[in-house]
Amino acid sequence: MKNGMELALCEARNAAERGEVPVGAVVLGPDGTVLAQGGNRVEELQDPSAHAEMLVMREALAVRGGQRLADCTLVVTLEPCPMCAAALAHFRVGRVLFGAYDPKGGGVEHGPRLPFRAEALHRPEIIGGVREQEAAGLLKTFFQSLRTREEAENPHP
Amino acid sequence: MKNGMELALCEARNAAERGEVPVGAVVLGPDGTVLAQGGNRVEELQDPSAHAEMLVMREALAVRGGQRLADCTLVVTLEPCPMCAAALAHFRVGRVLFGAYDPKGGGVEHGPRLPFRAEALHRPEIIGGVREQEAAGLLKTFFQSLRTREEAENPHP
């Protein structure tokens, strides 16, 4: 069986093929069962909140019922942004494994570091940097090819 | 025509009748047209992220197309939580009017104060305390009646 990060990376690659920023996520139940897996769908759904984490957390609850993921692990290829980092507390996610660190847009280990704030309602166990190179590599390749395409379409004289 | 906060308060009352924490929200277009209105549906959808703000921002884009609400106003009866405060930036909301302040759970004027952080991608114009007493009153009444019901169901000896 593929592990969670392997699946999340696969979902990130699928997202890139759909023209989405390549971020993928998986929710694993307490026994390691995959409850939900998916990628970023911001462009497809024309919904700026359709980050991979939001989609899979919602789907995992739809599968299981209830309103908490306290015995679950969210695996995601990129450090969650502040929106998703705050949602982790609403969903009471037990554990978060993420791939690449995001110094500019992250909200877990960077920026507001929401789970570590005194007023945080809930703090998941957090492990960052899992298969960091691969996760970061996907994003780097995606944005490089985006820039190349933009430069080809808008050449400077 | 009712103004935005009047409609948002109405949606908050509807939410309370559905057994939801009474928070209501409205998105107004540049000419004041109501693009979306709704209340909290966390219980109904069994989705901890189904805050009024998230639902109406998504609905407003579904109505209009595109991925930005830069020329729109989000009106909400309670100061947005950190998740919704961060989502304001993803949706590029132009202006936010909110009712009651939320010193414990708010993320705009309290807690991480996300729109005011140096790394924030976007900062909407923010006006808090609009019809504050009414908005706060709805929440107070709701939580009091919840406590009364819980005490009746679980009487202390």
Side-chain angles (χ1 to χ4, degrees):
Chain A
M1 204 185 83
K2 283 185 186 180
N3 71 17
M5 188 55 86
E6 185 66 35
L7 277 179
L9 286 164
C10 182
E11 290 291 349
R13 278 179 221 110
N14 293 345
E17 286 189 12
R18 296 191 305 268
E20 304 277 356
V21 175
V23 180
V26 172
V27 175
L28 301 173
D31 60 353
T33 314
V34 176
L35 296 176
Q37 61 185 89
N40 189 7
R41 293 191 182 270
V42 165
E43 302 295 331
E44 178 190 335
L45 302 177
Q46 294 219 326
D47 174 1
S49 71
H51 289 191
E53 300 95 309
M54 300 294 276
L55 299 177
V56 296
M57 287 192 289
R58 283 209 293 266
E59 195 189 321
L61 283 184
V63 167
R64 291 225 307 184
Q67 283 200 6
R68 287 166 181 245
L69 297 171
D71 55 357
C72 296
T73 301
L74 173 75
V75 183
V76 55
T77 57
L78 179 65
E79 179 183 346
C81 76
M83 177 184 71
C84 295
L88 295 173
H90 290 314
F91 283 87
R92 301 287 194 278
V93 173
R95 200 158 65 130
V96 180
L97 259 69
F98 69 83
Y101 288 90
D102 188 356
K104 273 192 189 171
V108 172
E109 300 283 2
H110 295 94
R113 301 185 81 241
L114 293 175
F116 302 103
R117 291 188 57 91
E119 75 273 10
L121 297 166
H122 168 84
R123 183 184 305 172
E125 184 190 342
I126 294 168
I127 301 162
V130 180
R131 298 180 64 173
E132 184 181 357
Q133 303 279 323
E134 284 164 87
L138 280 174
L139 288 155
K140 202 176 158 189
T141 306
F142 178 81
F143 286 113
Q144 271 174 348
S145 92
L146 208 63
R147 271 195 299 275
T148 308
R149 207 179 328 146
E150 278 170 6
E151 280 166 16
E153 285 168 7
N154 306 295
H156 294 289
Chain B
M1 205 188 80
K2 284 184 185 179
N3 70 16
M5 188 55 85
E6 185 66 34
L7 276 180
L9 286 164
C10 182
E11 290 290 349
R13 280 180 219 107
N14 293 346
E17 287 190 10
R18 296 191 305 266
E20 303 277 356
V21 174
V23 179
V26 172
V27 175
L28 303 172
D31 59 353
T33 314
V34 175
L35 296 177
Q37 60 183 91
N40 189 3
R41 293 191 182 267
V42 165
E43 303 293 333
E44 179 190 337
L45 302 177
Q46 294 219 327
D47 175 1
S49 71
H51 289 192
E53 299 93 310
M54 298 294 277
L55 299 177
V56 296
M57 287 191 290
R58 282 210 291 263
E59 195 188 321
L61 283 186
V63 167
R64 290 224 308 182
Q67 285 200 8
R68 286 166 182 246
L69 298 171
D71 55 355
C72 296
T73 300
L74 173 76
V75 184
V76 55
T77 57
L78 179 65
E79 178 184 347
C81 76
M83 176 184 72
C84 295
L88 295 172
H90 290 314
F91 283 87
R92 302 287 193 278
V93 172
R95 199 158 67 129
V96 178
L97 261 68
F98 70 83
Y101 288 89
D102 188 356
K104 271 191 187 171
V108 172
E109 299 282 1
H110 295 93
R113 304 185 78 242
L114 293 176
F116 302 104
R117 293 186 56 90
E119 75 273 11
L121 296 166
H122 168 84
R123 184 185 301 172
E125 185 189 345
I126 293 168
I127 301 162
V130 180
R131 298 181 64 174
E132 184 181 357
Q133 303 279 322
E134 285 165 87
L138 279 174
L139 287 156
K140 202 175 159 189
T141 306
F142 178 81
F143 286 113
Q144 272 173 348
S145 92
L146 207 64
R147 272 196 297 276
T148 309
R149 208 182 324 149
E150 276 171 5
E151 282 165 14
E153 285 169 5
N154 306 294
H156 294 288

